[in-house]
């Protein structure tokens, strides 16, 4: 168990919905990403993306990377569909209609590339990658905005932004980079540069921007200033993160019923929406048993306590005593024992201090979206008989219109809040872990790295033996 915990693998927890989402593309039920790519259809994919079923399907099938990238996608982004193609690794030009002007631009670009390939003797197969080749800065900017992971730069001068990670830039022909960083600086910022000449020494004027980009991208220099022991636990603790997608319960059958009075229909509408709304509100209310703060604290706290299992703590206690730092161990033990409680306080503070953001839209907003439809079955046009018809049960009935749309918007509102909260909670968790790591660092730097075949307990006992000697 503990050896598995020490593997630095991203942990993702995803809430399951009440019913499995079924994706059907081009008449085929989709069971995998490969099938999704094979039957990728622009209009159908955009529809599934817009109503949230695409994200839910990814989560239910544990495609964690694609789900996380889809959450970050802005539907109002002009490159939204292109980014969808990137997320699912499908060829964007195969799924769009090009105007005559666009075709002329593409033809001119192809002729430029052909000349460069001929002059440099480069691989002619690059002609098949025209959509991810930039011949000027404007095209490069469009590809970066579209989150293309691999971008070719063709015989021109370009500026590669160090603040935009996740791209690989490959040079074709004579490519010059304006205000370049070193290969190491780009690498630490999450950028790969190939077949392009970069400076060997860092420019002092741009070093701050490079270090900020590296930190923002998650570059971890912990091992450069900490012991092998502290780094071992750090690499395990930092890899843990929660992602959640929530669905809301509601009674859709109210749409199938006919009500004999408007007030009865309105009451049924209100009851159906209240169930979903109250559940959503409970998730973001500190102190509620369903609160996401409680869930996150329990999750992270349990993870810390399982990592520092009793046999691990026994070995650490011995190591601290041998280094005459028993007080430090007691502080460490207190942080681990009370990790759930301490994290809960931090997470609830995040919700309490930002109540204006985390609060759901007013209930009335959702209630007003659902209309009541009147069905008049009276046949008389006036007079006594029409009045009599009006008094008869069932002569006028009422039904509830689409209730799915406001529930879907309610879920979107909740999940937007939850996504923001879990990012903030992860930051708080990381800060809490840094306190634990610094306590481990106080044992000193004179430790060897753990061998792959060693258990953590054996490793700690070996360190104890070395301290005795």
């Amino acid at each position: 168990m503990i050896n598995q915990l020490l593997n630095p693998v991203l942990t993702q927890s995803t809430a399951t919905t009440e019913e499995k989402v079924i994706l059907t593309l081009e008449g085929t039920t989709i069971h995998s990403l490969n099938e999704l790519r094979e039957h990728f259809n622009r209009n159908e994919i955009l529809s599934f993306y817009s109503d949230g079923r695409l994200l839910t399907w990814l989560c239910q099938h544990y495609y964690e990377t694609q789900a996380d990238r889809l959450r970050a996608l802005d539907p109002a982004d002009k490159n939204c569909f292109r980014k969808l193609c990137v997320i699912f690794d499908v060829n964007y030009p195969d799924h769009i209609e090009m105007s005559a002007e666009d075709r002329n631009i593409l033809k001119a670009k192809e002729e430029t590339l052909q000349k460069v390939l001929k002059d440099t003797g480069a691989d002619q197969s690059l002609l098949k990658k025209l959509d991810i080749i930039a011949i000027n800065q404007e095209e490069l900017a469009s590809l970066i905005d579209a989150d293309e992971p691999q971008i070719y730069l063709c015989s021109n001068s370009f500026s590669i932004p160090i603040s935009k990670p996740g791209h690989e830039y490959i040079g074709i022909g004579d490519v010059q980079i304006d205000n370049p960083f070193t290969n190491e600086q780009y690498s630490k910022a999450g950028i790969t540069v190939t077949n392009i000449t970069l400076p060997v020494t860092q420019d002092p004027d741009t070093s701050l921007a490079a270090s900020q980009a590296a930190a923002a991208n998650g570059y971890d220099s912990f091992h450069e200033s900490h012991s092998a022991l502290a780094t071992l636990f750090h690499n395990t603790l930092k890899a843990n993160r929660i992602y959640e997608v929530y669905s809301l319960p509601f009674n859709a059958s109210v749409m199938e019923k006919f009500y004999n009075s408007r007030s009865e229909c309105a009451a049924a509408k209100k009851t159906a929406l209240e169930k979903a709304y109250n559940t959503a509100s409970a998730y973001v209310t500190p102190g509620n048993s369903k609160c996401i703060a409680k869930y996150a604290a329990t999750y992270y706290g349990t993870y810390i306590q399982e990592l520092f299992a009793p046999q691990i703590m026994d070995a650490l206690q011995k190591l601290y005593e041998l280094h005459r730092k028993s007080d430090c161990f007691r502080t460490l033990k207190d942080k681990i024992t009370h990790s759930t409680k301490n994290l809960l306080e931090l997470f609830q503070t995040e919700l309490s201090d930002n109540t204006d953001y985390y609060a759901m839209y007013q209930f009335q907003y959702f209630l007003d979206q659902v209309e009541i439809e009147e069905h008049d079955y009276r046949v008389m046009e006036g007079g006594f008989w029409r009045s009599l018809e009006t008094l008869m049960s069932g002569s006028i009935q009422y039904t509830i219109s689409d209730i799915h749309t406001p529930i879907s918007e309610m879920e979107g509102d909740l999940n937007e809040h939850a996504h923001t909260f879990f990012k903030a909670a992860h930051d708080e968790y990381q800060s809490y872990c840094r306190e634990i790591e610094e306590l481990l660092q106080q044992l000193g730097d004179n430790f060897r790295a753990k061998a792959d075949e060693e258990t953590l307990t054996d490793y700690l006992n070996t360190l104890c033996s070395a301290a005795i000697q």
Side-chain angles (χ1 to χ4, degrees):
M1 175 67 176
I2 203 66
N3 284 336
Q4 292 176 341
L5 287 172
L6 287 171
N7 289 329
V9 177
L10 179 68
T11 302
Q12 175 170 330
S13 172
T14 302
T16 56
T17 54
E18 293 178 354
E19 295 182 2
K20 285 288 185 181
V21 168
I22 297 176
L23 286 190
T24 303
L25 298 174
E26 298 181 336
T28 300
T29 300
I30 304 302
H31 303 96
S32 67
L33 276 183
N34 285 337
E35 290 183 0
L36 185 147
R37 295 183 186 105
E38 182 181 351
H39 298 282
F40 195 87
N41 178 283
R42 183 181 189 276
N43 292 335
E44 291 176 330
I45 281 291
L46 286 174
S47 176
F48 283 128
Y49 167 63
S50 298
D51 63 22
R53 283 181 290 172
L54 182 57
L55 175 59
T56 304
W57 183 87
L58 289 171
C59 292
Q60 289 178 343
H61 289 75
Y62 297 97
Y63 288 120
E64 300 170 347
T65 301
Q66 288 79 9
D68 193 32
R69 295 179 70 184
L70 196 66
R71 287 189 192 96
L73 190 57
D74 181 359
D77 188 339
K78 64 179 181 180
N79 288 303
C80 180
F81 179 66
R82 181 163 193 153
K83 290 182 179 181
L84 278 172
C85 292
V86 172
I87 290 172
F88 295 108
D89 194 23
V90 298
N91 190 26
Y92 170 71
D94 292 344
H95 300 280
I96 60 170
E97 295 182 3
M98 297 183 68
S99 65
E101 181 181 359
D102 288 337
R103 283 193 293 270
N104 290 334
I105 292 173
L106 189 63
K107 183 179 179 181
K109 180 177 178 179
E110 183 176 5
E111 291 173 352
T112 299
L113 180 60
Q114 281 179 331
K115 184 178 185 306
V116 173
L117 295 179
K118 181 179 179 181
D119 293 343
T120 60
D123 189 351
Q124 294 291 315
S125 64
L126 289 172
L127 287 168
K128 298 178 181 179
K129 298 183 177 183
L130 273 178
D131 62 305
I132 57 172
I133 295 176
I135 61 173
N136 54 50
Q137 188 68 25
E138 183 176 359
E139 290 188 351
L140 171 58
S142 296
L143 292 172
I144 292 173
D145 289 342
D147 288 338
E148 284 289 350
Q150 189 178 69
I151 300 173
Y152 288 85
L153 306 180
C154 180
S155 283
N156 208 333
S157 179
F158 298 90
S159 175
I160 298 177
I162 199 165
S163 61
K164 295 288 186 179
H167 300 285
E168 177 186 9
Y169 299 96
I170 305 171
I172 305 173
D174 182 20
V175 176
Q176 302 295 320
I177 304 299
D178 298 331
N179 301 320
F181 297 89
T182 67
N183 190 66
E184 182 183 14
Q185 287 175 315
Y186 276 127
S187 179
K188 287 181 178 181
I191 296 168
T192 303
V193 180
T194 305
N195 201 31
I196 298 174
T197 301
L198 297 173
V200 177
T201 58
Q202 298 182 10
D203 183 344
D205 293 336
T206 59
S207 60
L208 178 59
S211 61
Q212 290 175 338
N217 186 50
Y219 171 73
D220 193 350
S221 59
F222 187 89
H223 63 283
E224 296 174 3
S225 56
H226 291 80
S227 68
L229 176 63
T231 300
L232 177 63
F233 282 97
H234 168 78
N235 288 341
T236 305
L237 289 167
K238 74 168 186 177
N240 198 28
R241 184 168 182 173
I242 304 173
Y243 298 107
E244 284 291 336
V245 176
Y246 293 98
S247 60
L248 298 174
F250 69 98
N251 181 12
S253 65
V254 295
M255 294 174 56
E256 303 169 2
K257 295 181 180 179
F258 286 84
Y259 300 89
N260 291 326
S261 72
R262 181 177 289 274
S263 60
E264 181 187 9
C265 187
K269 176 183 80 168
K270 182 179 179 182
T271 300
L273 284 173
E274 272 183 336
K275 183 177 182 180
Y277 186 83
N278 291 339
T279 300
S281 297
Y283 282 128
V284 293
T285 302
N288 192 288
S289 60
K290 290 185 177 181
C291 182
I292 54 180
K294 181 178 180 181
Y295 169 76
T298 301
Y299 182 91
Y300 284 128
T302 300
Y303 185 83
I304 290 173
Q305 290 160 21
E306 287 184 350
L307 176 59
F308 290 91
Q311 67 272 25
I312 304 302
M313 292 300 289
D314 289 343
L316 282 172
Q317 181 176 8
K318 184 178 179 181
L319 193 58
Y320 275 97
E321 289 173 350
L322 288 169
H323 284 79
R324 299 181 180 180
K325 294 183 180 291
S326 296
D327 289 346
C328 189
F329 174 76
R330 283 191 286 272
T331 304
L332 174 69
K333 184 178 180 180
D334 182 73
K335 284 208 166 289
I336 296 199
T337 303
H338 300 101
S339 55
T340 300
K341 175 178 174 292
N342 294 339
L343 287 171
L344 179 59
E345 291 177 358
L346 292 171
F347 296 164
Q348 286 185 329
T349 298
E350 163 65 21
L351 291 177
S352 300
D353 288 352
N354 299 282
T355 51
D356 289 344
Y357 172 78
Y358 287 113
M360 296 290 295
Y361 292 154
Q362 292 295 317
F363 176 69
Q364 192 64 40
Y365 167 79
F366 298 104
L367 193 65
D368 290 343
Q369 291 186 44
V370 183
E371 297 181 355
I372 294 177
E373 297 179 355
E374 180 181 299
H375 307 274
D376 191 345
Y377 301 111
R378 294 173 299 178
V379 295
M380 298 297 180
E381 294 184 358
F384 172 77
W385 294 109
R386 183 171 179 83
S387 299
L388 184 62
E389 272 191 302
T390 303
L391 296 174
M392 294 175 60
S393 176
S395 61
I396 301 177
Q397 291 187 319
Y398 302 88
T399 58
I400 297 172
S401 66
D402 174 30
I403 204 170
H404 295 281
T405 298
I407 294 292
S408 178
E409 185 174 353
M410 203 182 294
E411 287 180 338
D413 187 22
L414 170 62
N415 282 302
E416 181 180 348
H417 293 338
H419 183 59
T420 300
F421 168 79
F422 283 122
K423 288 176 65 177
H426 184 255
D427 290 341
E428 293 283 7
Y429 162 74
Q430 294 281 42
S431 296
Y432 192 82
C433 290
R434 279 195 291 273
E435 297 177 19
I436 293 174
E437 293 156 2
E438 291 307 319
L439 290 168
L440 291 166
Q441 180 62 26
Q442 289 189 31
L443 284 170
D445 293 318
N446 191 26
F447 297 116
R448 66 168 177 83
K450 186 181 84 68
D452 291 340
E453 66 276 6
E454 270 186 309
T455 66
L456 181 56
T457 304
D458 288 343
Y459 171 66
L460 292 173
N461 287 332
T462 301
L463 296 184
C464 289
S465 299
I468 292 173
Q469 296 174 3

